[in-house]
Amino acid sequence: SDARTVTVLGATGSIGDSTMDLLRGARDRYQVEALTANSNVEALARLAKEFGVRFAAIADPARLGELKDALAGTNIECGAGESAIIEAAARPADWVMAAVSGAAGLKPALAAVDRGAAVALANKECLVCAGDFFMQRAAKAGACILPADSEHNALFQALSSGNREELVRVIITASGGPFRTWAPADIEQATLEQALKHPNWSMGQKITIDSASMMNKGLEVIEASYLFALSADEIDVLVHPQSIIHGMVEFSDRSVVAQLGAPDMRIPIAHCLGWPDRIVGPSARLDLAKIGQLTFEAPDFERFPGLRLAYEALRTGRGATTVFNAANEVAVAAFIAGKIKFGSIARLVEATINDWIRAGNLAPLSSADDAISVDHNARNRAASLLPQIAL
Ligand code: NDP
Ligand code: MG
């Protein structure tokens, strides 16, 4: 058949859900090769059966028995553990959605990249962690990286209207999150429940907290730098509370080209799925007359220090963005566990980076494997600083 084969890494998450929804609407055009999850056996098995996949993988090794039981009577193969997630990515599929949350998604994404697949990249942490090496591996294998993050997908679309030499800068927008108008003292004490109330987007827990701290926008500045080979000076952030314009590109003639769309991740994912063609996206259309106005503000680097730290890490280089991401993952997990205050997320990230630099650990990364070991060491460093920050 001429159906395209696709694999979804992180199929049970928020991006996974949007991706499966689009695939459901075009069953005749796509054959699903493999699906993966971390621990949600029930949702994974349900999707695997619905789509008649060949392989289902669960990261938690303790859940293999449950997964086997849930798939009994089908001819769906299954596996467990990190190696099974990597196997899912390595199996032949033309197109892979990389939507695991966090740097845990790096090795699986690289397995898809190394065999030259088209990789729709939602998992920004893996780029921030591995830096240029991720893109180098892709170039070497002939893999096409399709940015699924809405802002980067917007840039990817807008960039095609000019040449690299004519590009002046890119602008990524930010909703500003639930604390956009909050006073510093209130942000400092914000609860988990408050941080999880994003005004425009419905997303996984980690990225929702990153959006509240604007660490997400910081990760996205770094992501844009590696994806499109841009310096920190060429990337601007603009707060745009309606989340309708996702990204803009300015050329030398001062034309600014923007991409617009409702805040619905199915739109950028549909672009990645259809690329280089266009497929049918969600049914609701953008109604600007109803929205009425689009507004803009400069970002506040003082109330949202995560954004400042991201630019600093990008300018520092030599593994600093890897440390930035690792420390933020540790900090977010500590905040969810009630171990630190919301305001301490950025504090732990800053302390970890400073400590890393003071210890003389900054060194140019020489490979993606190097990045994985820096990630590991930086997590340990952040965890050891946690008790000080927790007070
Ligand atoms: P979710 O938390 O909703 O989903 C994460 C997915 O990854 C789930 O399928 C989860 O399985 C799986 N997973 C989590 N940890 C591991 C692990 N250690 N090993 C293997 N699988 C794992 O996240 P989102 O869908 O919101 O985000 C996914 C990625 O996309 C993130 O990097 C995020 O930054 C990025 N992104 C998300 C956007 C959004 O709108 N949600 C927008 C732009 C980017 P299980 O269900 O079993 O826990
Ligand atoms: Mg985004």
Side-chain angles (χ1 to χ4, degrees):
S1 88
D2 55 2
R4 214 171 166 213
T5 51
V6 304
T7 283
V8 182
L9 308 172
T12 53
S14 163
I15 292 287
D17 191 52
S18 295
T19 307
M20 300 319 289
D21 191 56
L22 288 165
L23 292 173
R24 196 172 280 124
R27 287 295 293 267
D28 49 330
R29 295 185 55 182
Y30 302 99
Q31 162 67 44
V32 182
E33 173 71 25
L35 296 177
T36 79
N38 187 34
S39 60
N40 192 343
V41 167
E42 203 229 324
L44 177 65
R46 184 171 26 79
L47 289 168
K49 286 193 242 180
E50 179 191 347
F51 285 87
V53 312
R54 298 199 177 92
F55 185 65
I58 192 93
D60 181 353
R63 308 269 167 133
L64 182 59
E66 271 175 70
L67 182 59
K68 278 185 174 158
D69 289 348
L71 295 175
T74 72
N75 53 13
I76 302 168
E77 290 174 63
C78 61
E82 191 190 30
S83 61
I85 307 293
I86 293 171
E87 185 192 336
R91 281 180 162 234
D94 306 316
W95 186 92
V96 176
M97 166 53 80
V100 168
S101 174
L106 175 59
K107 285 189 206 169
L110 284 172
V113 159
D114 286 344
R115 61 178 182 75
V119 178
L121 193 69
N123 178 216
K124 64 196 83 186
E125 294 94 341
C126 84
L127 256 183
V128 174
C129 173
D132 298 322
F133 294 102
F134 191 90
M135 299 307 288
Q136 283 173 20
R137 289 268 283 263
K140 199 172 153 213
C144 178
I145 304 298
L146 300 164
D149 205 347
S150 55
E151 297 77 4
H152 305 75
N153 186 268
L155 298 181
F156 185 76
Q157 295 194 46
L159 279 165
S160 64
S161 51
N163 296 316
R164 185 67 183 79
E165 310 81 68
E166 297 143 5
L167 174 71
V168 175
R169 62 167 173 158
V170 304
I171 301 163
I172 58 176
T173 60
S175 69
F179 309 145
R180 179 175 62 90
T181 59
W182 284 30
D186 297 330
I187 296 175
E188 171 72 27
Q189 304 292 342
T191 65
L192 178 59
E193 199 194 353
Q194 290 167 327
L196 287 176
K197 272 197 197 116
H198 196 279
N200 302 347
W201 299 94
S202 153
M203 311 180 286
Q205 202 175 42
K206 198 260 175 179
I207 184 176
T208 304
I209 293 166
D210 284 345
S211 298
S213 63
M214 288 196 79
M215 283 288 181
N216 181 52
K217 216 44 59 179
L219 291 167
E220 291 184 352
V221 167
I222 300 167
E223 181 187 12
S225 163
Y226 294 139
L227 268 177
F228 304 115
L230 299 166
S231 69
D233 299 328
E234 294 172 307
I235 308 164
D236 282 347
V237 170
L238 181 66
V239 175
H240 165 43
Q242 297 81 15
S243 299
I244 299 298
I245 298 178
H246 304 292
M248 301 182 238
V249 173
E250 180 180 338
F251 294 103
S252 52
D253 58 6
R254 299 293 177 229
S255 258
V256 177
V257 179
Q259 185 266 354
L260 288 73
D264 180 339
M265 283 308 293
R266 289 175 302 177
I267 298 171
I269 296 169
H271 177 260
C272 295
L273 197 52
W275 193 88
D277 302 322
R278 297 270 181 180
I279 61 169
V280 177
S283 55
R285 295 175 63 180
L286 181 62
D287 187 347
L288 286 173
K290 196 170 161 199
I291 292 163
Q293 47 179 333
L294 303 183
T295 61
F296 307 95
E297 299 162 16
D300 185 336
F301 291 84
E302 276 165 33
R303 282 185 309 132
F304 299 99
L307 198 49
R308 167 178 61 80
L309 293 169
Y311 273 104
E312 285 172 10
L314 188 55
R315 292 196 166 98
T316 303
R318 291 166 293 158
T321 67
T322 311
V323 178
F324 170 84
N325 178 67
N328 183 54
E329 287 195 35
V330 171
V332 170
F335 173 67
I336 292 171
K339 290 183 191 153
I340 60 172
K341 286 188 283 197
F342 186 80
S344 292
I345 294 175
R347 222 168 276 132
L348 180 62
V349 172
E350 184 155 31
T352 306
I353 295 175
N354 288 343
D355 186 76
W356 188 265
I357 295 173
R358 241 182 282 116
N361 288 333
L362 279 182
L365 301 183
S366 59
S367 67
D369 289 331
D370 227 14
I372 291 168
S373 94
V374 168
D375 173 72
H376 178 81
N377 294 336
R379 277 168 204 273
N380 289 340
R381 189 65 70 126
S384 74
L385 292 169
L386 199 56
Q388 278 161 252
I389 301 291
L391 302 177

